[in-house]
Amino acid sequence: MLKQLFAIIFRLLLPCLRPLLRSLFRLRVEGLENLDFNKHTVMIPNHVSLLDAVLLALYLPKEAAFVVNTQIAKRFAWLLMFRTHIPVDPLNPYSVRKMLKTVQQGTPLVVFPEGRITTNGAMMKVYGGIGYIALKSQALMVPIAIHGLEYSKLSYMKGKLKQRMFPAVSIVIGKPFQVELQGQDSMRVQKERATETIRTQMQNHLFASRMKQELNLFNELLAAAKLHGSSFRSVRIWSAARI
């Protein structure tokens, strides 16, 4: 009864929650036009904090379903009621087949290929299951870059980055790509190659989404000082050229 009441209240508050979080996090969402759910689609975000799925769930189209670890699904069942989700056990080999079947049935899927939150600020290992799904479903793979939440209190970067309650956040949805089957190679080899392709595409998109059209070194140093603190050490690059 309480869960149902909470779900009703939460749904009523959703229209207010979106603009509130957008304001608190100075949230910028780009690239929604790259999503085409008329085709089989798998969205593949990087994973930098416990808030990643929350913000994505609030701002991605409602048709998308989220893959959630069964243990997390039990702990946060009250929060997952407002969004379609697929609980999977990462230790169960049939979990990948469950995700594949969902994609083949036409449900757009959101999967974190790293499977866990970064502990060093860089991408973690990408697991082979996503390569298998990409090959067997021939779905459009859409990279999503999340920037800023690594500075939040709900990241695993404590002591490595200056954390704050509401860092500025951007969510950039990239161009879709497809991983084609290569009939002459074994599925194991193809899966490894597909997984590496996905990892490379995600890294390239992360890099490209950070690039700025007009770069001013002095302004960037001021922004870095504000972001990391004035005691943060910068790297000096001395030119090797001599006149």
Side-chain angles (χ1 to χ4, degrees), residues 95-107 133 137:
S95 294
V96 174
R97 295 184 185 180
K98 184 178 181 180
M99 290 185 276
L100 174 61
K101 186 177 180 181
T102 302
V103 176
Q104 290 174 330
Q105 289 173 342
T107 301
I133 292 170
S137 69

Side-chain angles (χ1 to χ4, degrees), residues 2-15 17:
L2 284 174
K3 286 185 178 180
Q4 291 176 339
L5 180 61
F6 176 83
I8 293 171
I9 294 172
F10 195 79
R11 288 181 186 277
L12 290 173
L13 290 175
L14 270 180
L17 190 59

Side-chain angles (χ1 to χ4, degrees), residues 212 215-237:
K212 297 180 180 178
L215 192 65
N216 181 292
L217 182 58
F218 180 71
N219 289 339
E220 291 301 307
L221 286 171
L222 290 177
K226 183 178 179 181
L227 188 63
H228 299 287
S230 57
S231 61
F232 184 77
R233 292 183 179 180
S234 60
V235 177
R236 291 183 181 179
I237 302 176

